[in-house]
Amino acid sequence: MSNSWFRFKRFMVNQEDCAMKVGTDGVLLGAWADVRPRCSVLDIGTGTGLVALMVAQRGAGRVTAIEIDAAAAAQATRNAAGSEWADRIEVVAVDIADYKSDTLFDRILSNPPYFRDSLRSPDAGRNTARHNDTLSYETLVKCSASLLAPGGQLCVVLPYDAVDEFMRHAQLAGFCLARRTDVVTAPGREPKRSLLALGTEYVQSVTDVLSMRDDDGNESARYVELVKDFYLKY
């Protein structure tokens, strides 16, 4: 059974009421995305509030975190309220398709549901968090396109084998790939996850590979550098 809490260097994430617990994907996204000081951020599908807390720690200004599951949204609200950035994080319990904002966002981040055409769990909340029929790639990119400020970026973490499908929807919504990092567990392994940054203005895209471990089986220097401001063990 997963712990009911996860402690980071500067904040605590309680997660007993969230179907999806703290995981590597969210940490990678929150650390990897190009978050500038005082930029406005929208976190779509915040779950525990992990990514919202990470970008607030990194210096983002206004952070809005939306979550369709009411129990998870309430937990994310409590996690944000217990942090040193309570005045900068707002959690809203809403479906992204119904969300309205008077202002646009410099960065939109999402760790979207990733299971397609697979067996459902008896736990309805876990299905909402894991299966993309509640947040399809098409819905995510269309809504993001309407909420992103000029020059802004949409940043996501996806299963490696879902990237082509996601990019088809993203391109139809007017997005271009700016940066891509494929994540492998060790050198020479096949990628399991991909981190993507997309914008609405064309730039020469940059693609690289992040190995979480080195040839000796130790955590790689690049991975440690990416997450060291968050995990207690560094």
Side-chain angles (χ1 to χ4, degrees), residues 68-103:
I68 191 174
D69 182 77
Q75 181 124 75
T77 298
R78 294 191 297 272
N79 286 332
S83 77
E84 58 189 278
W85 312 286
D87 61 333
R88 288 195 270 133
I89 302 174
E90 177 189 19
V91 180
V92 183
V94 68
D95 186 327
I96 182 58
D98 299 323
Y99 177 68
K100 307 296 182 187
S101 175
D102 294 332
T103 58

Short mmCIF file of all heavy atoms in Angstrom, two decimals, residues 68-103:
data_model
loop_
_atom_site.label_atom_id
_atom_site.label_comp_id
_atom_site.label_asym_id
_atom_site.label_seq_id
_atom_site.Cartn_x
_atom_site.Cartn_y
_atom_site.Cartn_z
N ILE A 68 -10.46 17.37 -11.98
CA ILE A 68 -11.85 16.98 -12.17
C ILE A 68 -12.40 16.20 -10.99
O ILE A 68 -13.59 16.26 -10.70
CB ILE A 68 -12.00 16.18 -13.49
CG1 ILE A 68 -13.47 15.99 -13.85
CG2 ILE A 68 -11.26 14.85 -13.39
CD1 ILE A 68 -13.68 15.33 -15.20
N ASP A 69 -11.55 15.45 -10.29
CA ASP A 69 -11.98 14.63 -9.17
C ASP A 69 -12.07 15.49 -7.91
O ASP A 69 -11.08 16.08 -7.47
CB ASP A 69 -11.02 13.47 -8.96
CG ASP A 69 -11.45 12.57 -7.82
OD1 ASP A 69 -12.38 11.77 -8.03
OD2 ASP A 69 -10.86 12.67 -6.73
N ALA A 70 -13.26 15.55 -7.31
CA ALA A 70 -13.48 16.46 -6.19
C ALA A 70 -12.62 16.12 -4.98
O ALA A 70 -12.09 17.02 -4.30
CB ALA A 70 -14.96 16.44 -5.80
N ALA A 71 -12.46 14.82 -4.68
CA ALA A 71 -11.66 14.43 -3.52
C ALA A 71 -10.20 14.80 -3.72
O ALA A 71 -9.53 15.29 -2.79
CB ALA A 71 -11.81 12.93 -3.26
N ALA A 72 -9.68 14.56 -4.92
CA ALA A 72 -8.29 14.92 -5.21
C ALA A 72 -8.11 16.43 -5.17
O ALA A 72 -7.11 16.93 -4.65
CB ALA A 72 -7.87 14.37 -6.57
N ALA A 73 -9.07 17.18 -5.71
CA ALA A 73 -8.98 18.64 -5.69
C ALA A 73 -8.95 19.16 -4.26
O ALA A 73 -8.19 20.09 -3.93
CB ALA A 73 -10.14 19.25 -6.46
N ALA A 74 -9.76 18.57 -3.38
CA ALA A 74 -9.77 18.99 -1.98
C ALA A 74 -8.43 18.69 -1.32
O ALA A 74 -7.92 19.50 -0.53
CB ALA A 74 -10.90 18.29 -1.24
N GLN A 75 -7.84 17.53 -1.65
CA GLN A 75 -6.54 17.19 -1.08
C GLN A 75 -5.46 18.13 -1.61
O GLN A 75 -4.61 18.60 -0.84
CB GLN A 75 -6.17 15.75 -1.43
CG GLN A 75 -4.82 15.31 -0.85
CD GLN A 75 -4.96 14.08 0.00
OE1 GLN A 75 -5.12 13.00 -0.54
NE2 GLN A 75 -4.91 14.23 1.31
N ALA A 76 -5.48 18.42 -2.91
CA ALA A 76 -4.51 19.35 -3.48
C ALA A 76 -4.64 20.73 -2.84
O ALA A 76 -3.64 21.42 -2.59
CB ALA A 76 -4.70 19.45 -4.99
N THR A 77 -5.87 21.15 -2.56
CA THR A 77 -6.10 22.44 -1.89
C THR A 77 -5.43 22.45 -0.52
O THR A 77 -4.77 23.43 -0.14
CB THR A 77 -7.60 22.70 -1.74
OG1 THR A 77 -8.19 22.77 -3.05
CG2 THR A 77 -7.86 24.01 -1.00
N ARG A 78 -5.58 21.36 0.22
CA ARG A 78 -4.96 21.29 1.55
C ARG A 78 -3.44 21.25 1.44
O ARG A 78 -2.74 21.88 2.25
CB ARG A 78 -5.47 20.05 2.29
CG ARG A 78 -6.95 20.10 2.62
CD ARG A 78 -7.36 19.01 3.58
NE ARG A 78 -7.18 17.66 3.06
CZ ARG A 78 -8.10 17.01 2.34
NH1 ARG A 78 -9.25 17.60 2.04
NH2 ARG A 78 -7.87 15.78 1.93
N ASN A 79 -2.92 20.52 0.45
CA ASN A 79 -1.47 20.48 0.28
C ASN A 79 -0.91 21.85 -0.06
O ASN A 79 0.14 22.26 0.46
CB ASN A 79 -1.10 19.47 -0.82
CG ASN A 79 -1.27 18.02 -0.38
OD1 ASN A 79 -1.15 17.71 0.81
ND2 ASN A 79 -1.51 17.14 -1.33
N ALA A 80 -1.60 22.57 -0.91
CA ALA A 80 -1.15 23.93 -1.27
C ALA A 80 -1.24 24.86 -0.07
O ALA A 80 -0.33 25.65 0.19
CB ALA A 80 -1.98 24.46 -2.43
N ALA A 81 -2.33 24.75 0.69
CA ALA A 81 -2.52 25.63 1.85
C ALA A 81 -1.46 25.39 2.92
O ALA A 81 -1.11 26.32 3.66
CB ALA A 81 -3.91 25.41 2.44
N GLY A 82 -0.94 24.18 2.99
CA GLY A 82 0.08 23.87 3.98
C GLY A 82 1.49 24.19 3.54
O GLY A 82 2.45 23.96 4.28
N SER A 83 1.64 24.73 2.35
CA SER A 83 2.96 25.05 1.81
C SER A 83 3.31 26.52 2.00
O SER A 83 2.44 27.33 2.35
CB SER A 83 3.01 24.72 0.31
OG SER A 83 2.34 25.72 -0.45
N GLU A 84 4.55 26.87 1.73
CA GLU A 84 4.97 28.27 1.85
C GLU A 84 4.51 29.12 0.68
O GLU A 84 4.73 30.34 0.66
CB GLU A 84 6.50 28.35 1.99
CG GLU A 84 7.26 27.73 0.84
CD GLU A 84 8.76 27.63 1.14
OE1 GLU A 84 9.46 28.65 0.95
OE2 GLU A 84 9.21 26.54 1.53
N TRP A 85 3.85 28.50 -0.31
CA TRP A 85 3.38 29.24 -1.49
C TRP A 85 1.86 29.27 -1.56
O TRP A 85 1.28 29.40 -2.63
CB TRP A 85 3.95 28.59 -2.75
CG TRP A 85 5.43 28.34 -2.63
CD1 TRP A 85 6.44 29.26 -2.68
CD2 TRP A 85 6.05 27.08 -2.37
NE1 TRP A 85 7.64 28.66 -2.47
CE2 TRP A 85 7.45 27.31 -2.28
CE3 TRP A 85 5.58 25.78 -2.21
CZ2 TRP A 85 8.36 26.28 -2.03
CZ3 TRP A 85 6.48 24.75 -1.96
CH2 TRP A 85 7.86 25.01 -1.88
N ALA A 86 1.21 29.16 -0.40
CA ALA A 86 -0.25 29.11 -0.35
C ALA A 86 -0.89 30.31 -1.04
O ALA A 86 -1.97 30.20 -1.62
CB ALA A 86 -0.72 29.02 1.10
N ASP A 87 -0.24 31.46 -0.98
CA ASP A 87 -0.81 32.67 -1.56
C ASP A 87 -0.69 32.70 -3.08
O ASP A 87 -1.27 33.58 -3.73
CB ASP A 87 -0.16 33.92 -0.96
CG ASP A 87 1.34 33.98 -1.23
OD1 ASP A 87 1.97 32.90 -1.39
OD2 ASP A 87 1.89 35.09 -1.27
N ARG A 88 0.06 31.77 -3.66
CA ARG A 88 0.27 31.78 -5.11
C ARG A 88 -0.41 30.63 -5.84
O ARG A 88 -0.42 30.61 -7.08
CB ARG A 88 1.77 31.75 -5.42
CG ARG A 88 2.46 33.05 -5.12
CD ARG A 88 3.81 33.11 -5.77
NE ARG A 88 4.86 32.58 -4.91
CZ ARG A 88 5.80 31.73 -5.29
NH1 ARG A 88 5.80 31.26 -6.50
NH2 ARG A 88 6.73 31.34 -4.44
N ILE A 89 -0.93 29.65 -5.11
CA ILE A 89 -1.53 28.47 -5.74
C ILE A 89 -3.03 28.45 -5.50
O ILE A 89 -3.49 28.52 -4.36
CB ILE A 89 -0.92 27.16 -5.19
CG1 ILE A 89 0.60 27.14 -5.40
CG2 ILE A 89 -1.56 25.95 -5.87
CD1 ILE A 89 1.29 25.94 -4.76
N GLU A 90 -3.78 28.35 -6.57
CA GLU A 90 -5.24 28.20 -6.49
C GLU A 90 -5.62 26.86 -7.11
O GLU A 90 -5.21 26.55 -8.23
CB GLU A 90 -5.95 29.32 -7.24
CG GLU A 90 -7.46 29.16 -7.24
CD GLU A 90 -8.17 30.13 -8.15
OE1 GLU A 90 -7.51 30.69 -9.05
OE2 GLU A 90 -9.38 30.33 -7.97
N VAL A 91 -6.38 26.06 -6.40
CA VAL A 91 -6.87 24.78 -6.91
C VAL A 91 -8.35 24.92 -7.24
O VAL A 91 -9.13 25.43 -6.43
CB VAL A 91 -6.66 23.64 -5.89
CG1 VAL A 91 -7.17 22.32 -6.46
CG2 VAL A 91 -5.18 23.53 -5.51
N VAL A 92 -8.72 24.48 -8.44
CA VAL A 92 -10.11 24.58 -8.89
C VAL A 92 -10.61 23.19 -9.26
O VAL A 92 -9.96 22.49 -10.06
CB VAL A 92 -10.23 25.52 -10.11
CG1 VAL A 92 -11.70 25.68 -10.51
CG2 VAL A 92 -9.60 26.88 -9.81
N ALA A 93 -11.73 22.77 -8.70
CA ALA A 93 -12.33 21.48 -9.02
C ALA A 93 -13.21 21.66 -10.25
O ALA A 93 -14.35 22.13 -10.15
CB ALA A 93 -13.13 20.96 -7.84
N VAL A 94 -12.68 21.30 -11.40
CA VAL A 94 -13.41 21.53 -12.66
C VAL A 94 -12.83 20.63 -13.75
O VAL A 94 -11.66 20.25 -13.72
CB VAL A 94 -13.30 23.02 -13.07
CG1 VAL A 94 -11.89 23.40 -13.46
CG2 VAL A 94 -14.26 23.37 -14.20
N ASP A 95 -13.65 20.30 -14.71
CA ASP A 95 -13.23 19.63 -15.94
C ASP A 95 -12.57 20.69 -16.82
O ASP A 95 -13.11 21.80 -16.97
CB ASP A 95 -14.45 19.03 -16.63
CG ASP A 95 -14.12 18.18 -17.84
OD1 ASP A 95 -13.14 18.48 -18.55
OD2 ASP A 95 -14.87 17.22 -18.10
N ILE A 96 -11.45 20.38 -17.43
CA ILE A 96 -10.76 21.35 -18.28
C ILE A 96 -11.67 21.85 -19.40
O ILE A 96 -11.59 23.01 -19.80
CB ILE A 96 -9.45 20.78 -18.86
CG1 ILE A 96 -8.71 21.82 -19.71
CG2 ILE A 96 -9.71 19.53 -19.67
CD1 ILE A 96 -8.34 23.08 -19.00
N ALA A 97 -12.57 21.01 -19.87
CA ALA A 97 -13.48 21.41 -20.95
C ALA A 97 -14.44 22.51 -20.50
O ALA A 97 -14.98 23.25 -21.33
CB ALA A 97 -14.26 20.20 -21.45
N ASP A 98 -14.64 22.63 -19.19
CA ASP A 98 -15.55 23.64 -18.65
C ASP A 98 -14.83 24.82 -18.01
O ASP A 98 -15.48 25.76 -17.54
CB ASP A 98 -16.47 23.01 -17.60
CG ASP A 98 -17.33 21.90 -18.17
OD1 ASP A 98 -17.76 22.03 -19.34
OD2 ASP A 98 -17.53 20.88 -17.48
N TYR A 99 -13.52 24.78 -17.98
CA TYR A 99 -12.75 25.82 -17.28
C TYR A 99 -12.67 27.10 -18.11
O TYR A 99 -12.40 27.07 -19.31
CB TYR A 99 -11.34 25.31 -16.97
CG TYR A 99 -10.46 26.35 -16.32
CD1 TYR A 99 -10.72 26.79 -15.03
CD2 TYR A 99 -9.37 26.89 -16.99
CE1 TYR A 99 -9.93 27.74 -14.42
CE2 TYR A 99 -8.57 27.83 -16.40
CZ TYR A 99 -8.85 28.27 -15.11
OH TYR A 99 -8.06 29.21 -14.53
N LYS A 100 -12.90 28.22 -17.47
CA LYS A 100 -12.81 29.52 -18.11
C LYS A 100 -11.83 30.39 -17.33
O LYS A 100 -11.77 30.34 -16.11
CB LYS A 100 -14.17 30.23 -18.15
CG LYS A 100 -15.30 29.41 -18.75
CD LYS A 100 -15.07 29.10 -20.21
CE LYS A 100 -16.24 28.31 -20.79
NZ LYS A 100 -15.97 27.86 -22.18
N SER A 101 -11.04 31.19 -18.05
CA SER A 101 -10.09 32.08 -17.40
C SER A 101 -10.10 33.43 -18.10
O SER A 101 -10.16 33.50 -19.34
CB SER A 101 -8.68 31.49 -17.45
OG SER A 101 -7.73 32.40 -16.92
N ASP A 102 -10.05 34.49 -17.31
CA ASP A 102 -10.00 35.84 -17.87
C ASP A 102 -8.62 36.18 -18.41
O ASP A 102 -8.46 37.15 -19.16
CB ASP A 102 -10.40 36.86 -16.81
CG ASP A 102 -11.86 36.73 -16.40
OD1 ASP A 102 -12.67 36.27 -17.23
OD2 ASP A 102 -12.18 37.06 -15.25
N THR A 103 -7.61 35.42 -17.99
CA THR A 103 -6.24 35.68 -18.43
C THR A 103 -5.63 34.41 -19.00
O THR A 103 -6.07 33.29 -18.71
CB THR A 103 -5.37 36.17 -17.26
OG1 THR A 103 -5.39 35.19 -16.21
CG2 THR A 103 -5.88 37.49 -16.72
#
